[in-house]
């Protein structure tokens, strides 16, 4: 990545996010935003595209669907997103669809790929998966007449550990093999930031006859993906985190081409119909071949336009190759600065710590994580986390709080810098110093 495209993004000012402990001069400066794993920043391109679409709505109204002054006819607007999404997930164009929202897409694909029988009915996921996924898995099992307590297998870390060992994941898959219908984990675990070995898990699931899907909410735009070559059956994602498409923005899904003839949409809608005859309003459904045949309703233009703006930046910087290289540098710099703190405690000693401090529960291996580092605030079972988070925010550092005692920091390669990492680490150390001295 030749130049850092941070100038493409709009940072909240310190005064806007409640940084009350800064000088008037500092309050007018951009905050240190390390929360792109929760909600990415808006890009100037996204802001411009939203404004353009508002203008087209006012000037062209319904004609904007077919005669758009900026060449983005609303009836085809996702065509501007799908090619870049395909490159980010490592897919063919007809394997991806920009559509829906994450959990709705998850249900849509599970309705097609989760085909339980009395013998093979179990769903394998990680323990402490994002709750919406857990709700979806449980309700899918229930809808087929199975008790989620027995149908959903949650793989938990070993006692005293926070990350899942690959050997444990593979052992669970092997042990329950002929009873597993679907293996469905997060590409990157939202709480710990662990990046699972997706290719090997996919292969293990297939070896026991299971379907394998992935929730890529924290993976897309964060780590390199190669879904087609990894032979992944299906995947879903949102776009408001590392893809910077805005709160509640449009999501996406992937269906491997090997299923394009065998697995057809089970809950059809008119936007999945062949576009050459869609507006002829035929009686019978003729699906688009591939993932886009699973579309149901026309996409929200105002949820898609900001995604297109951000994706253009991904394209212009060269995609995930240079971004991943930059991410490794940034997350490594943040880790090094954090570990230099006198309040840092190694993970193996953290359970015995009674004094204020912190450890990092994200894997130390760069190949087992993305941009995010999750900090466990000590002592375990203590109540210091909100105090630490408030101290950071009052001084212009925005991270993400996960109750009861985790703060997630994610230096995003599109717009964060080594200076951001250093400032966050210094203020964290300062916050603990204040607590100890008081």
């Amino acid at each position: 990545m030749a130049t850092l495209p941070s100038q493409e993004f709009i940072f909240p000012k310190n005064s806007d996010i409640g940084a009350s402990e800064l000088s008037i001069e500092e309050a007018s400066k951009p905050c240190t935003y390390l929360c792109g794993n929760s909600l990415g920043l808006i890009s100037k391109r996204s802001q411009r595209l939203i404004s353009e679409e508002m203008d087209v709505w006012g000037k062209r109204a319904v004609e904007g669907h077919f005669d758009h002054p900026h060449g983005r006819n609303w009836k085809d607007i996702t065509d501007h997103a799908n090619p870049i999404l395909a490159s980010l997930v490592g897919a063919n164009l007809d394997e991806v669809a920009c559509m829906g929202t994450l959990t709705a897409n998850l249900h849509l694909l599970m309705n097609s790929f989760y085909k339980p029988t009395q013998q093979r009915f179990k769903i394998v996921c990680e323990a402490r998966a994002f709750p919406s996924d857990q709700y979806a898995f449980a309700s899918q099992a229930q809808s087929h007449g199975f008790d989620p307590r027995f149908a959903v297998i949650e793989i938990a870390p070993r006692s005293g550990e926070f990350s899942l060992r690959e050997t444990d994941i593979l052992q669970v898959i092997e042990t329950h093999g002929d009873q597993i219908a679907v293996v469905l984990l997060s590409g990157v675990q939202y709480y710990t930031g662990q990046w699972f070995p997706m290719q090997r898990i996919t292969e293990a699931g297939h070896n026991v006859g299971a379907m394998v899907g992935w929730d890529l909410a924290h993976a897309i735009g964060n780590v390199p993906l190669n879904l087609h070559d990894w032979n992944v059956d299906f995947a879903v994602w949102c776009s408001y985190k590392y893809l910077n498409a805005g709160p509640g923005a449009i999501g996406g899904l992937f269906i491997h081409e090997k299923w394009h003839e065998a697995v057809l949409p089970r809950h059809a809608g008119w936007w999945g119909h062949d576009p050459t005859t869609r507006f002829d309003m035929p009686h019978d459904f003729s699906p688009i071949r591939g993932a886009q045949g699973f579309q149901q309703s026309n996409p929200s233009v105002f949820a898609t336009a900001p995604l297109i703006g951000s994706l253009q930046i991904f394209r212009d910087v060269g995609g995930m190759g240079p971004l991943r290289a930059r991410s490794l540098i940034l997350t490594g710099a943040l880790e090094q600065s954090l570990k230099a703190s006198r309040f840092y405690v190694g993970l193996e000693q953290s359970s015995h710590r009674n004094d204020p401090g912190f450890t990092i529960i994200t894997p130390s291996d760069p190949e087992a994580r993305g941009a995010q580092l999750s900090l466990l605030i000590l002592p375990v079972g203590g109540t210091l986390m909100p105090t630490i988070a408030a101290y950071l925010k009052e001084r212009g550092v925005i991270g993400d709080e996960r109750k009861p005692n985790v703060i997630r920091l994610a230096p995003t390669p599109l717009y964060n810098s080594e200076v951001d990492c250093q400032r966050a680490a210094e203020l964290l150390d300062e916050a603990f110093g204040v607590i100890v001295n008081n």
Side-chain angles (χ1 to χ4, degrees):
M1 191 163 58
T3 59
L4 186 68
S6 57
Q7 69 277 4
E8 293 266 12
F9 291 85
I10 300 171
F11 288 78
K13 293 180 181 178
N14 284 317
S15 57
D16 293 332
I17 54 94
S20 57
E21 294 297 321
L22 297 175
S23 67
I24 295 175
E25 181 182 358
E26 289 297 318
S28 65
K29 294 180 180 180
C31 74
T32 300
Y33 193 82
L34 295 173
C35 205
N37 59 323
S38 184
L39 179 68
L41 293 178
I42 185 172
S43 69
K44 295 175 183 177
R45 296 195 204 189
S46 296
Q47 190 178 57
R48 186 183 74 246
L49 263 60
I50 294 171
S51 178
E52 287 177 355
E53 298 304 346
M54 288 287 188
D55 187 63
V56 172
W57 184 19
K59 292 179 178 178
R60 297 288 177 94
V62 71
E63 293 301 312
H65 286 92
F66 310 99
D67 183 17
H68 195 289
H70 303 288
R72 294 188 301 271
N73 291 346
W74 292 337
K75 71 179 180 68
D76 305 316
I77 192 167
T78 57
D79 289 352
H80 297 269
N82 285 324
I84 306 175
L85 289 172
S87 69
L88 291 179
V89 300
N92 297 330
L93 181 57
D94 62 355
E95 293 178 316
V96 301
C98 175
M99 59 175 283
T101 54
L102 194 154
T103 304
N105 288 342
L106 179 59
H107 276 295
L108 196 63
L109 293 192
M110 290 194 75
N111 287 340
S112 292
F113 286 93
Y114 178 54
K115 302 288 186 61
T117 65
Q118 290 301 313
Q119 169 63 28
R120 188 183 288 276
F121 62 94
K122 294 184 177 181
I123 301 167
V124 174
C125 66
E126 80 268 23
R128 204 164 190 167
F130 192 75
S132 195
D133 285 2
Q134 293 178 312
Y135 306 155
F137 301 153
S139 63
Q140 283 284 331
Q142 289 172 328
S143 71
H144 289 280
F146 295 100
D147 188 333
R149 294 176 298 171
F150 306 108
V152 180
I153 303 171
E154 298 184 1
I155 310 174
R158 297 185 185 187
S159 178
E161 299 182 3
F162 292 89
S163 298
L164 288 175
R165 298 190 186 189
E166 179 180 349
T167 53
D168 292 347
I169 298 172
L170 300 184
Q171 183 61 54
V172 168
I173 293 173
E174 182 179 351
T175 299
H176 295 269
D178 60 0
Q179 294 182 308
I180 300 173
V182 174
V183 176
L184 213 167
L185 284 80
S186 306
V188 173
Q189 219 283 331
Y190 89 100
Y191 187 78
T192 65
Q194 180 182 7
W195 180 16
F196 293 118
M198 296 173 61
Q199 183 175 11
R200 294 190 291 274
I201 292 173
T202 299
E203 182 179 358
H206 288 160
N207 286 342
V208 299
M211 294 287 187
V212 182
W214 292 93
D215 175 348
L216 304 178
H218 286 263
I220 188 169
N222 180 16
V223 294
L225 300 167
N226 204 0
L227 301 185
H228 177 87
D229 289 349
W230 293 345
N231 205 24
V232 170
D233 294 303
F234 66 96
V236 295
W237 58 84
C238 60
S239 60
Y240 48 82
K241 301 180 187 298
Y242 295 98
L243 294 188
N244 314 301
I250 195 166
L253 57 79
F254 162 90
I255 301 172
H256 198 282
E257 68 175 4
K258 66 185 177 182
W259 298 114
H260 288 181
E261 301 296 336
V263 179
L264 298 177
R266 294 188 62 185
H267 298 282
W270 79 308
W271 222 251
H273 184 92
D274 180 356
T276 63
T277 58
R278 179 187 293 148
F279 286 90
D280 294 338
M281 307 298 179
H283 178 272
D284 295 327
F285 180 62
S286 176
I288 303 169
R289 185 181 186 278
Q292 293 172 40
F294 282 71
Q295 297 174 102
Q296 295 175 316
S297 299
N298 52 317
S300 165
V301 168
F302 302 114
T304 308
L307 172 63
I308 294 170
S310 179
L311 289 177
Q312 289 174 354
I313 301 173
F314 276 88
R315 177 198 62 201
D316 292 350
V317 300
M320 285 310 302
L323 283 172
R324 174 60 174 169
R326 175 69 179 158
S327 182
L328 288 169
I329 293 171
L330 283 176
T331 306
L334 177 61
E335 180 182 40
Q336 183 178 14
S337 296
L338 289 169
K339 287 185 174 181
S341 170
R342 57 191 166 129
F343 298 103
Y344 170 76
V345 180
L347 190 58
E348 60 280 359
Q349 286 89 38
S350 62
S351 61
H352 308 297
R353 174 87 172 198
N354 295 318
D355 298 323
F358 70 94
T359 191
I360 301 173
I361 62 173
T362 306
S364 59
D365 179 3
E367 296 304 314
R369 68 187 186 201
Q372 171 185 319
L373 294 180
S374 296
L375 315 183
L376 178 67
I377 307 303
L378 304 171
V380 174
T383 59
L384 291 179
M385 187 275 286
T387 302
I388 298 294
Y391 190 96
L392 295 176
K393 181 179 177 181
E394 288 166 357
R395 289 153 184 82
V397 174
I398 298 296
D400 180 70
E401 303 174 43
R402 290 292 152 173
K403 297 178 180 179
N405 49 18
V406 165
I407 295 175
R408 304 183 304 172
L409 301 176
T412 303
L414 274 177
Y415 50 76
N416 283 125
S417 68
E418 288 89 339
V419 172
D420 295 331
C421 297
Q422 184 66 35
R423 176 165 174 76
E426 288 176 353
L427 283 172
L428 184 78
D429 183 82
E430 186 179 292
F432 278 108
V434 170
I435 290 172
V436 169
N437 292 331
N438 286 343

